[in-house]
Amino acid sequence: MKKVLSCLMLIGIIVVSGCGPTTQVTRLDSDTTVDLSGKWNDTDSRMVADQMIDDCLTHIWINNHNQEKGAKPAVIVGFVRNKSNEHIATQTFISDIERAFINSGKVRPVEGKDVRDEIRAERADQSENAAIETIKRMGRELGADYMLYGQINTIEDREGGRQIMFYQTDLTLSNIESLEKVWIGTKKIKKFIGRKKLKL
Amino acid sequence: MTKLLPFLLFVPILFGCAAYNFEKVEMNLNAGKSQEAYQYLKKNEPKKPDIPHKFELGLIAHYADLFPESSKAFEQAEMIAEDRFTKSITKEGLSLFTSDKLRPYTGSKYERLIAHYYHALNYIYQDKIDDALVECRRATNLINYFKGSSDDYDFFGTGFIAYFCAILFETAGEVNDAFISYRQAEQYYKNAAERTSISVPEDIGHSLVRISRRLSFTDEYEHYKRVYGEPPAQEENHGELILFYETGYVPKKKQQSLTFPILKTDKFGEDDDEETITFARTLRTREGMVVEEVKLEYLLRIAVPTIRSKRPYLQGIQVSVGNKTTDGVLVEDIERNAIETFNDNRPIILLRTLIRGLLKYLTFKQADKKNPIVGSIVNLAGAITESADTRSWQSLPNQIYMVRVQLPEGTHRLRLSFLNPDGHIGNNRSVSGVVIKANQITLLNFRTYE
């Protein structure tokens, strides 16, 4: 009798515990690499941006520009199209690229379209409402010499519990005046995602 | 009181973590209160994220115009389904002693596919075409995975999803991807046609002609033109309206109790060599058999899910703009997908149910030998826990029709006429403020519940 009751109670407890709260929070350093689902994550975004910009800034185009113009090139990060099969926050990736550009000190990044419009609106507002000695002037923006743009693609191969995710990021830097492509970079990431068929 | 304890502990198994009553959702939807239906589902969310709840939440949020919330729910549903690729031995084992409801639900293949249709529409309505295309790529990968996982894949829902994705690729100007998807849609509709009775929509053929010509694929163009004929010419300063009309509800699974007699002459449970599966097969042939009381050892009661056709009152659509009226074409029959999928799974469901019933019977027999009171408790516990797995995505529509029509650039008022089974107009609605841009596609979906 006791054995049967214990057995039934155990089953009940297992089921009841399945519905209970299981949240546990642990703070991590933002540079820590944690792969949970195998999908594109913050580490991929940061790593790809750093490595590609590193490649971009050691390329010959930057020396050519410096020699020709005698000044650091002004670069605008345009669009990065997500052509993958994941919802990738491309804005985060763009921010990572801009950060890498600024930290290098080799180029002068300028604001992209959305922020530019916001700042212009602010300047227009200043011209009507700000104290005259603090008004920022119109027509003094730094025009970009180059635009960086690109896309992220994925190829997925899957069989049973085994999955290969292949990410390819392509970035192109083009001269805004001449439309000449001065640099093309590619970064590939390959991930294996394994799922067990059974667990306890 | 001690005797009642085990039964109280079984209560959570019966109700699981599902805390919502779909009838309340349905009542709100039928009354046009999708916001209230969403709030109800949100309030009665299971403590642990689960499907089909996430599917229901995603769809109802979609109808309530809460597109980010809807996408979030669909995203979670997909993650849960992926996680459940790994089966839990504990839960599989326990389900053989209790109920199939204890097995984690992953959603049917057609359910997982159609989630991408709604998920993509969420992004379309937020003007995020790139994200909508992500959903198309994910759906395409999922179809490829399903195709690769089974030699006799049923292809339910694949034709419609590929067709929908082709339209989205075309909307985004990704013409080559659109061509591939139209071609896949043609093939998938053919693959499933025998069981779904939906032939390849004429528009797919015409799109293949149109796009192969645009891509200068000469051989393909000649082939498709020969098969499908020349499509209607694209008018100048016109755009296209594509409206998906979703009608009714997919039929729900219901529980049916069955009894199988175990005879005194049966050796099952006495001989260790007796195989449960073999005896379960024997029992299956005795469903509802009348047996004399003297020959009867035990009446095995089991509960199995059933599903029956429940077509909606409105089964078609005509869209009128000015003097122009266009008929809708049936592009997806979710009811057929649900019933056919269920029929495919029925033998294994019945077998599992019988094995479970026999295991309960064996437990009873062993307990009964030692102590008849304990035997009775075990018998009662077995009966209480016996319930059918009727889980499914219940808010899905019964059928989806599509209307594709060229309209002049500008803002239009649409008159929607919904057809009853006789083909006569059963109800009307109008939708105003529909913006058509030249050489672009405007996408809409509309749902009725009657």
Side-chain angles (χ1 to χ4, degrees), chain A residues 19 81 84-85 87 196 199, chain B residues 17 86 130 135 137 141:
Chain A
C19 297
R81 280 200 72 187
S84 75
N85 56 10
H87 294 287
K196 288 178 192 167
K199 67 176 179 185
Chain B
C17 299
T86 309
D130 278 354
E135 288 309 311
R137 291 187 202 104
N141 284 340

Side-chain angles (χ1 to χ4, degrees), chain B residues 96-164:
Chain B
L96 281 174
F97 286 92
T98 51
S99 162
D100 269 358
K101 279 183 178 175
L102 210 62
R103 301 175 79 202
Y105 185 70
T106 55
S108 303
K109 288 174 182 168
Y110 73 88
E111 288 178 340
R112 285 181 66 185
L113 285 175
I114 207 159
H116 291 288
Y117 157 72
Y118 288 109
H119 202 163
L121 280 176
N122 285 339
Y123 291 116
I124 291 290
Y125 289 138
Q126 295 174 87
D127 208 17
K128 294 179 176 176
I129 186 75
D130 278 354
D131 285 298
L133 295 185
V134 167
E135 288 309 311
C136 288
R137 291 187 202 104
R138 292 170 82 177
T140 306
N141 284 340
L142 198 57
I143 293 171
N144 288 338
Y145 170 61
F146 290 153
K147 274 160 63 181
S149 307
S150 164
D151 290 337
D152 52 357
Y153 178 43
D154 52 38
F155 286 92
F156 294 151
T158 55
F160 170 64
I161 291 298
Y163 187 14
F164 173 70

Side-chain angles (χ1 to χ4, degrees), chain B residues 358-405:
Chain B
L358 290 176
L359 288 173
K360 284 178 182 177
Y361 167 64
L362 285 178
T363 315
F364 150 77
K365 224 175 165 187
Q366 281 193 344
D368 194 53
K369 257 185 199 170
K370 288 177 185 167
N371 185 335
I373 296 169
V374 179
S376 305
I377 291 171
V378 171
N379 190 5
L380 197 55
I384 289 172
T385 54
E386 184 58 29
S387 65
D389 182 7
T390 55
R391 289 172 295 179
S392 67
W393 185 355
Q394 298 180 76
S395 56
L396 275 177
N398 192 289
Q399 293 177 319
I400 302 177
Y401 292 81
M402 194 186 101
V403 178
R404 184 169 196 165
V405 57

Side-chain angles (χ1 to χ4, degrees), chain B residues 117-333:
Chain B
Y117 157 72
Y118 288 109
H119 202 163
L121 280 176
N122 285 339
Y123 291 116
I124 291 290
Y125 289 138
Q126 295 174 87
D127 208 17
K128 294 179 176 176
I129 186 75
D130 278 354
D131 285 298
L133 295 185
V134 167
E135 288 309 311
C136 288
R137 291 187 202 104
R138 292 170 82 177
T140 306
N141 284 340
L142 198 57
I143 293 171
N144 288 338
Y145 170 61
F146 290 153
K147 274 160 63 181
S149 307
S150 164
D151 290 337
D152 52 357
Y153 178 43
D154 52 38
F155 286 92
F156 294 151
T158 55
F160 170 64
I161 291 298
Y163 187 14
F164 173 70
C165 291
I167 290 166
L168 287 201
F169 283 126
E170 201 181 344
T171 305
E174 311 260 0
V175 191
N176 194 62
D177 286 337
F179 179 72
I180 301 294
S181 289
Y182 277 122
R183 222 156 57 166
Q184 286 174 336
E186 180 200 35
Q187 190 56 52
Y188 295 161
Y189 270 115
K190 282 180 184 169
N191 290 353
E194 203 178 301
R195 296 178 69 189
T196 60
S197 305
I198 301 180
S199 49
V200 181
E202 190 185 33
D203 177 62
I204 290 181
H206 285 162
S207 298
L208 283 166
V209 177
R210 195 163 35 81
I211 292 180
S212 57
R213 181 174 51 208
R214 192 171 158 190
L215 289 166
S216 303
F217 292 170
T218 318
D219 292 347
E220 285 85 352
Y221 168 62
E222 291 298 335
H223 166 74
Y224 289 125
K225 195 175 75 170
R226 204 167 45 247
V227 177
Y228 295 110
E230 197 65 51
Q234 300 278 93
E235 295 179 64
E236 262 188 44
N237 297 321
H238 276 59
E240 280 189 303
L241 166 74
I242 295 181
L243 183 136
F244 295 99
Y245 168 52
E246 302 153 12
T247 176
Y249 291 99
V250 68
K252 295 171 187 60
K253 286 181 199 165
K254 291 188 175 163
Q255 178 172 297
Q256 185 187 9
S257 294
L258 301 171
T259 45
F260 299 85
I262 294 179
L263 308 179
K264 284 181 177 165
T265 48
D266 288 328
K267 297 288 179 199
F268 183 74
E270 291 165 11
D271 180 0
D272 286 344
D273 296 334
E274 192 71 52
E275 271 192 50
T276 310
I277 293 173
T278 314
F279 189 59
R281 287 202 178 106
T282 310
L283 271 186
R284 202 166 60 183
T285 61
R286 291 184 189 167
E287 181 185 336
M289 184 191 276
V290 180
V291 177
E292 286 175 49
E293 205 176 324
V294 283
K295 291 180 182 173
L296 187 72
E297 157 82 4
Y298 180 82
L299 262 184
L300 179 67
R301 180 193 162 270
I302 58 163
V304 287
T306 60
I307 191 166
R308 284 206 181 127
S309 170
K310 195 187 171 196
R311 289 296 189 194
Y313 170 63
L314 301 172
Q315 295 180 28
I317 187 171
Q318 287 178 336
V319 176
S320 306
V321 182
N323 296 325
K324 192 174 187 176
T325 299
T326 311
D327 290 328
V329 174
L330 180 65
V331 288
E332 180 65 312
D333 190 344

Side-chain angles (χ1 to χ4, degrees), chain A residues 1 5 8-9 16 18-19 81-87 156 158 160-161 195-200, chain B residues 6 9-10 12 17 47-48 82 85-90 123 130-131 134-135 137-138 141 174 374:
Chain A
M1 176 74 178
L5 276 177
L8 294 174
M9 282 174 77
V16 172
C19 297
R81 280 200 72 187
N82 176 15
K83 297 187 88 174
S84 75
N85 56 10
E86 282 176 32
H87 294 287
E156 181 184 321
R158 185 172 177 182
R195 291 183 184 88
K196 288 178 192 167
K197 274 205 159 180
L198 294 169
K199 67 176 179 185
L200 267 177
Chain B
L9 287 169
F10 272 116
C17 299
K47 280 180 186 169
K48 200 173 175 183
E82 288 286 338
F85 173 84
T86 309
K87 306 273 181 238
S88 160
I89 300 168
T90 319
Y123 291 116
D130 278 354
D131 285 298
V134 167
E135 288 309 311
R137 291 187 202 104
R138 292 170 82 177
N141 284 340
E174 311 260 0
V374 179

